[in-house]
Amino acid sequence: MKTEQKKWTEKSGWVQVSSSILTDHPQVVFVFGATTILQKGDYFKEVSSFYPDAHILSCSTAGEILDVEVSDDSLVLTAVHFNKTTLKFAETDINDANESEEAGKKLADSLDKDALVHVMVFSDGLKVNGTALVKGLVGNLPSTVSVTGGLVGDGSNFKHTLVGVDKVPTEGKIALIGMYGSNLKVGYGSLGGWDIFGPERMITKSKNNVLYELDGKPALALYKEYLGDQAKGLPGTGLLFPLALRLKTDSGAEVEIVRTILAVDEKDQSMTFAGDMPEGVYARLMKANFDRLVDGASGAASMSTEPLGSSKAELAILISCIGRKLVLKERTFEELEAVREKIGPQAAMVGFYSYGEICPTAPTEKQCQLHNQTMTITLFREE
């Protein structure tokens, strides 16, 4: 595997960032960037001219990650040449969250399953129910295939999220990459680092990803009691106070999944989340702890290196939640440095801040979950 990285800013244009320069044609070019820049589409012709034979996957972000730096209003590019791995790309439309499971099924069914090792998915971050999307994907993929990815972002605006394969990205798209071949080694990890506070409460009324009642009381009113003055900034301030759910996996193991608010409805006192809020499940409020967020990123990196054994990663794709960025602020580099320390200096590192992360809950599992407020890391190496 060989990589090349570039960065675009209004001031400097395209700048070569990596010391390595590709002499082989890349199969894929990842372009992560600000919504306003991607919408213009000017960059696409330039990237296509750099890599005329490559597939170009573009998506909008809530902040761009390149190595240990975070930027806004930029484009970060990573071109990847695989020596022994074959890629297949798929894309589908989504107009409403109710279409999420079917969209996942359609994408999974588009892939040839023979020799399929891993799938990465990049989804519109506002029109999708991430839980249902994951259900549609994993329910129609072999149990031996791992899935990682995320719901793309739009800064803290929550208005337009963009995804595209081989064209200027648009709203209402989900893109998928299938990776084939026994020489590809994949590691992944996902952890949060938030503190739980307040009593545990049962979800007594919900529909899919819309929460109506906790312990028989209107969910939004109860949530506002905890937030106090910060309730005035909803839904944005909700990113700082996610909910932790106690869920059971198909194997019967109990896991903690974090959910973040996407929207509130004052009329019916409900809250819409990035993933399902099942009735009968217990939920508890969480708040930020700076040091534990950085420790969570470090822990996710350690998890992701386990499947690689003594081998070193060649490429790392990081998807971290916008809520973490809002808490860490100018110190976001600290969670990236914690990741870099664990995976080593040799890997090309790129990613973005998201509206949701998709990853298995443990490095030994294949079946994934939708997460919020986590740092999710996918490592790749060819043997």
Side-chain angles (χ1 to χ4, degrees):
M1 183 186 302
K2 299 175 184 177
T3 60
E4 179 177 273
Q5 294 185 298
K6 302 176 187 286
K7 182 175 181 177
W8 182 94
T9 60
E10 182 80 36
K11 180 180 179 180
S12 304
W14 286 106
V15 175
Q16 181 86 19
V17 174
S18 59
S19 57
S20 59
I21 297 177
L22 275 180
T23 55
D24 299 293
H25 294 299
Q27 293 92 341
V28 60
V29 180
F30 296 99
V31 181
F32 304 142
T35 301
T36 53
I37 300 172
L38 293 179
Q39 282 177 322
K40 294 177 183 176
D42 297 343
Y43 81 96
F44 189 79
K45 290 182 180 179
E46 293 179 307
V47 176
S48 297
S49 69
F50 297 155
Y51 311 103
D53 299 320
H55 290 284
I56 301 169
L57 190 149
S58 311
C59 68
S60 61
T61 85
E64 299 84 61
I65 295 171
L66 189 65
D67 195 32
V68 295
E69 294 185 357
V70 180
S71 56
D72 296 295
D73 301 319
S74 69
L75 299 175
V76 297
L77 175 159
T78 300
V80 186
H81 170 79
F82 291 93
N83 296 316
K84 303 173 184 178
T85 301
T86 302
L87 306 181
K88 181 173 180 180
F89 296 77
E91 189 179 62
T92 192
D93 298 323
I94 184 164
N95 298 304
D96 184 87
N98 293 325
E99 303 171 359
S100 300
E101 185 174 350
E102 184 58 32
K105 181 180 185 300
K106 181 180 178 181
L107 288 168
D109 287 344
S110 71
L111 294 178
D112 181 0
K113 308 305 189 295
D114 291 340
L116 181 62
V117 174
H118 185 75
V119 167
M120 284 210 80
V121 59
F122 301 87
S123 172
D124 183 290
L126 297 174
K127 298 183 179 183
V128 72
N129 177 334
T131 305
L133 172 64
V134 166
K135 183 179 179 181
L137 282 170
V138 300
N140 294 277
L141 290 171
S143 60
T144 54
V145 175
S146 51
V147 180
T148 59
L151 312 185
V152 307
D154 176 31
S156 57
N157 301 312
F158 289 88
K159 292 180 179 179
H160 310 286
T161 57
L162 314 175
V163 177
V165 177
D166 295 335
K167 59 182 179 294
V168 176
T170 56
E171 295 180 65
K173 299 289 184 182
I174 306 174
L176 176 148
I177 308 175
M179 302 180 176
Y180 297 81
S182 59
N183 294 104
L184 183 66
K185 304 303 177 187
V186 184
Y188 38 81
S190 183
L191 282 177
W194 298 72
D195 284 339
I196 290 176
F197 75 100
E200 198 170 48
R201 297 182 181 275
M202 180 183 285
I203 297 175
T204 48
K205 184 180 179 182
S206 65
K207 183 178 180 181
N208 299 325
N209 62 331
V210 181
L211 173 64
Y212 293 98
E213 293 183 0
L214 290 165
D215 284 349
K217 300 176 182 178
L220 182 56
L222 191 61
Y223 190 77
K224 285 182 175 180
E225 287 183 21
Y226 282 104
L227 265 63
D229 289 342
Q230 296 200 59
K232 298 174 184 177
L234 286 171
T237 51
L239 293 167
L240 305 177
F241 297 92
L243 290 180
L245 307 185
R246 279 198 291 130
L247 298 177
K248 285 192 175 181
T249 64
D250 293 339
S251 63
E254 189 171 86
V255 296
E256 182 182 275
I257 301 295
V258 182
R259 290 284 178 263
T260 294
I261 296 174
L262 294 180
V264 299
D265 190 321
E266 295 286 352
K267 184 178 179 180
D268 59 17
Q269 289 291 290
S270 68
M271 300 185 288
T272 300
F273 288 79
D276 278 354
M277 304 292 287
E279 290 183 358
V281 166
Y282 284 94
R284 206 168 181 184
L285 208 62
M286 307 181 83
K287 61 182 177 180
N289 179 315
F290 181 90
D291 290 333
R292 281 183 19 87
L293 289 179
V294 175
D295 288 344
S298 178
S302 294
M303 289 171 63
S304 67
T305 62
E306 287 181 27
L308 300 185
S310 59
S311 300
K312 297 290 187 180
E314 296 171 304
L315 172 65
I317 298 181
L318 279 55
I319 301 179
S320 186
C321 187
I322 180 178
R324 303 172 67 87
K325 183 169 179 267
L326 293 176
V327 172
L328 295 171
K329 296 181 180 178
E330 68 276 4
R331 297 174 69 183
T332 49
F333 72 90
E334 292 193 26
E335 74 167 353
L336 304 182
E337 287 182 339
V339 173
R340 173 60 82 189
E341 183 179 352
K342 294 295 183 181
I343 68 173
Q346 76 294 327
M349 199 163 91
V350 69
F352 59 91
Y353 283 87
S354 73
Y355 288 172
E357 306 81 57
I358 295 170
C359 186
T361 55
T364 55
E365 289 188 12
K366 299 290 185 181
Q367 300 301 296
C368 63
Q369 299 273 358
L370 173 75
H371 305 269
N372 292 124
Q373 306 291 13
T374 64
M375 165 65 83
T376 291
I377 302 164
T378 310
L379 301 183
F380 299 98
R381 178 180 178 82
E382 282 188 304
E383 299 292 352

